[in-house]
Structures are given as C-alpha cells and as structure tokens.
Amino acid sequence: LKAFLLKDPKRLRRWADSVMSVSLHGFGSLYLAVFLDSYGAFMVLPLLPFIALSLQASPFEVGLMQASYCFTQTVGTVLLGAVSDRVGRRRVLIVTLFFCSVSLLAFGLSSSMWQLILFRSLHGLFASTVSVCEAIIADGLDPERRAPAMATVMSAFGLGLVLGPGTGGLLAPLGFPAVCFAASGMTLANAAWAWWQLPGPGSAAGGEGPAAGAPDAAGAARGEGGRGGALASLGQAAALVRSSPDLAILYVMTLVQTMAFGAFMGLCPLFLHDVYGIGGSLMGFMFAAAGITMVVCQASVTGIAVTGVGELGSILLGSTVRVLMMAVFALVVSPAVPWVAFLVLVAAASAIDPCMASMVATAASDKNRGAVLGVYQALRSLGECLGPLWAGAWYEASPTGPFLGSAAVAALGGG
C-alpha cells in the first residue's frame, strides 16, 4: 500500500472526488431508495430459516424457500430491466417497491409452508431495485465514474444490511409478523419517497429521458420508439453477448460466483443454529456487523483495489479470499469463526460486485444498458436460486458438505 501511494498519491483523492461528484449530481435520493429497500428486505432475512423450522420444514424446504425468492427475482429482474428501457426507470422503480411492500405484508400473515414460499416468491418477482438504480447511474455517468457510483450503491445497500437485520433482531421477540409488517411499512415509505423525490422525465438521474429508452422523439430517431419495447432490448442484449466474449465471460463468472455465495448464505443460519446454537436475534446482529463491514469496505477497499490492480484484478482477488474463507468456515469449529467468516466474506464481495457491475455496464450501449444490467442481476438471482437448492439437499447428508462445495464452486467462478 505504501508503494502504491508513493507511486501516485493522488489516485485515492481522484476516487473520492468521483464519489462526491456522483453524489452531488442528483443521485442522493437514488442511494436513499436503495438503502430503504435493503433495510426493509433484510429485516426479515435472518429470521426466515427459523420461521420455516417452526412449521416443521426440512433443510431442503428451507433452501427451497430461499431459492423461490431468487428464482422469481431472476425472472422479474430480466423483464423489469427491459421494461425500464421502454417506459423509464423511475416508473418501474416505484411500481416494484409498492408490490414488494404488499408481498411482505402477506408474507407476515402466512400460516403454512406453501404460503411462505408463495409470498416469498412474489417478493422476489418485484425485488429489482438495485438493477434499476444501477441502470439509472450507468445512463447518467461516463465509464470512468461508474465504478465509484456502483460502489456507492452497494454501500447504500450495505447500510440497509447494517440496520435491517439488527432491527429485525430487536423486533424478533414481538413475533415474525411484527417484523414483516415493519419491513412492509418501510418499503411502502420507500415507494412514496421515490415517487416524491426522484427526478422525473428529462433528468439523467430520473432515468426517464432519452438515455433510458423512453418513447420520445430522440428515442424514435434511434429506432426505439414503439418498435422494439422490452423484447427488442432483450434481443439487443442477447446479440451483444454473442458478439462480446468478455461480456459472456462476465456473465458466467457472475452465475457461478453467486451460486456459491447463495448456497453459503442460504444454509449458513441453519448451520450456525445446529452447530453453535445461534438464534434469530443474534443472527440479526451478525448480519448487522457484516453490513458495517460492507459499508466500510465499499468506501475504502474497493477504491484501493481498483486503482491498484484494476477491476478484473479486484474480482480475482476477492474470489480468492472468498474461497479460502468458505473452506475455513466448514472445517474449523470455533466461536470466533462465524463472525470472522461473515466479515471477511463481505469484504471480499466489496472487491467483486461493484467491479463486476461496472464492467458489465461498460460493455453495454445506452440503448440496451437496462436490459444488459437486468440480465446481469438476473444471473445473480439465478445463482442465488440454484445454490440453496443443492445446498439444502446436501445438508441433510453432511452439514459441512454445502460449504466445502461452495468453496469449490467459487474457485471455478474465480478462475
């Protein structure tokens, strides 16, 4: 680090200036929308395995409940990303937040396992806030400033990860419905905030001007108005994958990495309960500590890694750390391991996710960036869907097996 700073001590200053510049050009309300959405969603996350177990669910059914959310998120993110190219980012963002609120409310009223799976699936269908916000940012910024902006989005997401699980842990003694109702109210407030605060048509930050593919005169001049719609955007994204080997490789890496991380996170609460006796409240505070780590690392580690080894180097570095820590989590039983594993894995993600999103956005054009980022987020959701399914089936035979398998899969994704 000393050699790096002596070589060019102004690099980190330029990175900080980029982040501040992004924040001051109409994106502050966007970051707040991401924060509020993750805050509401993460309030219920640490308690999900325990409410499922209270309904006599098997480990596979716990994994299925987690996977159902990710599967429908896969479908919803692709479709809504393409639709946002057609009708505008802001409209899509507000509608998805509203229906997320409704599904969380219904989730809290569930009294059977099939209801939990149904309403968890509906929540996933409309959980596309991050991909839409990333598309808005990509529309309004040049490639050099996108990585800091994507890192700020993930920091806002991480701040929700800090406060959401902790709040859920505090509300846990009041019962699972109380946590869901609070999360639903927070998400509904987020929809109202987005409607009131996010810039409207014609603003870069609003995502409803020509860059977002709205059907106006400029869009018609580019062939967007009324002729392609969402399917055209998806077709353009597919054509770009065929013509861009780099984008195809990024997509494959995204799918494999998130499948490994999804398997780990989907069964981690169950493993911690069975091996360490950790319950819902303490689990919430562990997630909160991980969120703090995410915010700190997104504000510091990401900038150092990108300016030092580049975006691709940051991805490879984070992947290596992820593999090693997953193996330690499975093989070493110690009270300190769960805390260290959570914190280090989140730090590794801070070196992977913003850089991956930035590289994908750079490979897209203004006309189809929403669809391209939608496919990227959908592959993340698909990986998070497939991971808990095979991990849940494996867990019944060997509790440590899914975590060693996650390490092996992550190694493939990093290579």
Side-chain angles (χ1 to χ4, degrees):
L1 177 61
K2 181 179 179 181
F4 162 73
L5 291 175
L6 290 175
K7 181 179 178 181
D8 189 351
K10 296 182 179 179
R11 284 180 176 177
L12 293 181
R13 176 64 180 175
R14 289 198 299 269
W15 177 272
D17 289 344
S18 295
V19 173
M20 291 302 297
S21 177
V22 168
S23 300
L24 295 174
H25 283 81
F27 293 104
S29 56
L30 196 68
Y31 299 143
L32 183 58
V34 172
F35 159 68
L36 291 174
D37 184 53
S38 66
Y39 180 59
F42 280 114
M43 283 178 66
V44 302
L45 183 61
L47 307 180
L48 292 181
F50 303 103
I51 188 63
L53 290 175
S54 71
L55 297 174
Q56 312 304 317
S58 67
F60 176 75
E61 288 174 321
V62 172
L64 179 62
M65 180 181 63
Q66 304 282 43
S68 66
Y69 174 89
C70 299
F71 174 76
T72 54
Q73 189 180 43
T74 301
V75 176
T77 303
V78 171
L79 294 178
L80 293 171
V83 169
S84 74
D85 285 332
R86 177 76 175 114
V87 304
R89 322 285 191 211
R90 179 177 179 271
R91 295 186 184 96
V92 171
L93 183 61
I94 293 171
V95 169
T96 56
L97 288 172
F98 174 77
F99 282 104
C100 280
S101 174
V102 173
S103 60
L104 280 169
L105 180 64
F107 190 62
L109 298 173
S110 300
S111 58
S112 65
M113 195 62 204
W114 74 265
Q115 290 177 346
L116 285 177
I117 294 175
L118 173 63
F119 294 120
R120 183 68 173 160
S121 299
L122 289 176
H123 186 202
L125 185 64
F126 296 103
S128 62
T129 303
V130 172
S131 66
V132 174
C133 291
E134 285 178 340
I136 295 175
I137 287 172
D139 288 337
L141 296 177
D142 54 77
E144 184 179 342
R145 299 167 63 204
R146 281 178 193 149
M150 298 296 186
T152 307
V153 168
M154 297 308 296
S155 293
F157 183 85
L159 188 58
L161 178 58
V162 172
L163 299 178
T167 304
L170 291 174
L171 295 177
L174 300 178
F176 182 71
V179 178
C180 291
F181 298 159
S184 175
M186 182 63 64
T187 308
L188 184 61
N190 191 12
W193 171 266
W195 176 81
W196 174 58
Q197 190 68 19
L198 288 182
S203 168
E208 294 185 318
D216 55 9
R222 296 193 304 267
E224 297 172 355
R227 291 190 298 156
L231 292 178
S233 294
L234 286 175
Q236 293 165 1
L240 185 58
V241 170
R242 290 193 296 269
S243 63
S244 174
D246 290 344
L247 182 60
I249 292 172
L250 286 170
Y251 276 166
V252 172
M253 291 176 64
T254 297
L255 176 62
V256 175
Q257 282 284 354
T258 53
M259 185 167 62
F261 199 60
F264 180 91
M265 294 302 294
L267 274 296
C268 182
L270 190 60
F271 181 81
L272 294 178
H273 174 268
D274 293 343
V275 175
Y276 295 96
I278 294 177
S281 296
L282 182 56
M283 188 71 63
F285 292 115
M286 290 182 67
F287 273 84
I292 294 173
T293 303
M294 177 181 286
V295 172
V296 173
C297 288
Q298 294 290 357
S300 57
V301 173
T302 304
I304 295 174
V306 171
T307 52
V309 298
E311 291 179 339
L312 182 58
S314 298
I315 293 172
L316 297 178
L317 176 63
S319 299
T320 302
V321 173
R322 175 176 285 179
V323 170
L324 293 175
M325 189 49 56
M326 286 180 173
V328 169
F329 183 85
L331 298 175
V332 180
V333 178
S334 169
V337 167
W339 292 93
V340 174
F342 262 61
L343 301 186
V344 175
L345 283 171
V346 168
S350 71
I352 299 172
D353 296 339
C355 296
M356 196 82 76
S358 178
M359 292 179 70
V360 170
T362 300
S365 68
D366 290 342
K367 292 167 57 176
N368 60 17
R369 186 168 289 121
V372 170
L373 284 169
V375 172
Y376 162 73
Q377 289 293 344
L379 288 172
R380 288 176 57 88
S381 299
L382 180 60
E384 291 167 356
C385 167
L386 297 176
L389 284 178
W390 63 260
W394 195 352
Y395 187 90
E396 297 188 36
S398 171
T400 60
F403 305 104
L404 291 174
S406 296
V409 173
L412 291 175

